[in-house]
Structures are given as structure tokens and as C-alpha cells.
Amino acid sequence: MNRPCTVVVLISGSGSNLQALIDALADGSIPAQIGAVISNRADAYGLTRAQNAGIPTAVLDHKAFEGREAFDAALIEAIDAQQPDLVVLAGFMRILTPGFVRHYAGRLLNIHPSLLPLYKGLHTHQRALEAGDREHGCSVHFVTEELDGGPLVVQAVVPVLPNDQVDSLAARVHVAEHHIYPLAVRWFAEGRLRLGAQGAELDGQPLPPCGHQVRELPAAH
């Protein structure tokens, strides 16, 4: 890819993973640029983060549309206006229609706060603690029609400490998210990561079912 990889980021809330991407792209070492940030909530703080970085933003209120199909059709139109190479879900709290997912097949990434396939859906940190797990973490995956079920790209493994509560565990997982999501975007932008017929591939080789695993994370700044 001779030109930078154009990324559109979808958000619904604070946009901490968006900020991690903005920071990672700031020094120019990743051949990518964020073309737009789109939110389904006008009060999402991530919009402010994008505006502070000079990134165009748009709001599509899902409540203004007659059902998921109508909303997703408008969302596709807004995204495609940017001619993106990659669409990144960063806390986008909408279940996407199969038609939307198929439209962006192979160029739609999501991050989920668990070691998939464990704990799909919500309340992942609470569920990990209740199960007595010794390890927890987060996963970047290609999005398919199966909720939180697409091929895994990279996982960060975080130890569960004896005195952990939901908030303390969630905070450490967030640090891990902010490391592995820019890493996955880097791989895609460099042409190293793709979705093949058998699943996710890195440097032309199939990734294992758990994706690339990261256990040693950089210290938080």
C-alpha cells in the first residue's frame, strides 16, 4: 500500500482506545491515518478527543432511524465517504447487521475485554473474577456475523491478582487494550495482517486460534 492506510473509527463513549490509536499514529511510524471518527451518541467524549486531534467527526443517532437496517445503511454511507481501508470498532455499542459485517469483511476490527472465546458479551471482568480465573485480558479480532466470534488477531494476557476487584482488573485490561489495538492496526496498515480463507493471517502464515499472544506489556506511563 503506497498511500497511508485510511482508518475510520466507530465509538459510542469515552474513546480511550481511540486516544491510544491517535497517540500511536502521531509520530508517523505507522503508515495509517484516521480519516474520520463516527459516533452514535452526540455526547461521546471520544468526539472531543478526535476534534482535539484535528480529525473530522460525525454523529449518527441510532434512535433517529427505523431499525438496525436503516441505521446501518446510513452508517455505511458515512463510512464509505472516507474510502477507508480499515474500520475499527472502539467501544461502539451497537450490534451490527449481517449486511454491514459482510460489506466490510476482512477490514473490520473489534477489541473485546476478555480472552475470547471466554466471556463474549458484557460484564467480562466480573465474570472472570466470579469464575476464579488466574488470567484475564483482551482480544482483537476480525468481525464476522458471530457476536465476538471472529478470527482472533492478538490477545494480551493480564494476571488476576488476589485482591482484584472489577475496577482494578478493568484498569489493567485497559492498559493492555491500548497496547494491542494499535499493534493490530500497524500490522494491517503495513500489509502484514489479512483475513484469509482459513482465518487471520500474519506475514502470510495462519495465526493460531488464540491469535498472537502478548504477555509482557510495556509499563504504563
Side-chain angles (χ1 to χ4, degrees):
M1 192 178 295
N2 294 325
R3 58 178 178 78
C5 173
T6 298
V7 181
V8 170
V9 182
L10 305 185
I11 64 168
S12 295
S14 69
S16 67
N17 272 304
L18 166 64
Q19 188 65 58
L21 286 172
I22 291 171
D23 294 344
L25 297 178
D27 67 0
S29 64
I30 300 176
Q33 60 187 8
I34 300 175
V37 172
I38 302 173
S39 175
N40 66 313
R41 295 177 55 98
D43 61 350
Y45 182 67
L47 293 169
T48 300
R49 296 181 189 271
Q51 290 156 4
N52 289 343
I55 298 168
T57 61
V59 176
L60 267 70
D61 184 351
H62 60 276
K63 291 177 286 189
F65 293 86
E66 292 285 340
R68 292 188 194 279
E69 285 76 12
F71 173 73
D72 279 9
L75 186 57
I76 286 172
E77 186 176 349
I79 294 169
D80 283 357
Q82 302 295 324
Q83 298 182 299
D85 303 292
L86 178 66
V87 179
V88 167
L89 306 179
F92 188 62
M93 303 303 290
R94 298 286 299 165
I95 295 176
L96 299 165
T97 58
F100 183 97
V101 173
R102 286 194 297 268
H103 185 77
Y104 296 108
R107 52 192 181 119
L108 184 60
L109 290 177
N110 182 47
I111 193 160
H112 183 74
S114 78
L115 295 175
L116 291 171
L118 291 175
Y119 312 128
K120 298 179 181 182
L122 302 175
H123 310 300
T124 59
H125 311 304
Q126 181 69 43
R127 290 156 70 190
L129 289 170
E130 288 174 352
D133 292 349
R134 293 185 177 184
E135 292 183 331
H136 187 43
C138 49
S139 309
V140 176
H141 64 95
F142 281 106
V143 177
T144 63
E145 294 177 40
E146 180 187 352
L147 180 65
D148 297 330
L152 291 166
V153 174
V154 56
Q155 293 187 321
V157 180
V158 173
V160 179
L161 303 180
N163 60 345
D164 262 332
Q165 304 294 319
V166 169
D167 288 350
S168 60
L169 182 56
R172 291 207 312 287
V173 172
H174 278 143
V175 172
E177 290 180 16
H178 301 162
H179 174 65
I180 65 169
Y181 219 178
L183 178 62
V185 170
R186 172 191 287 276
W187 289 342
F188 190 94
E190 291 175 343
R192 299 175 58 196
L193 174 67
R194 65 184 293 272
L195 182 59
Q198 304 303 316
E201 298 177 358
L202 183 64
D203 296 331
Q205 298 298 314
L207 282 162
C210 62
H212 177 83
Q213 284 214 330
V214 176
R215 289 182 173 269
E216 296 295 330
L217 292 166
H221 296 297

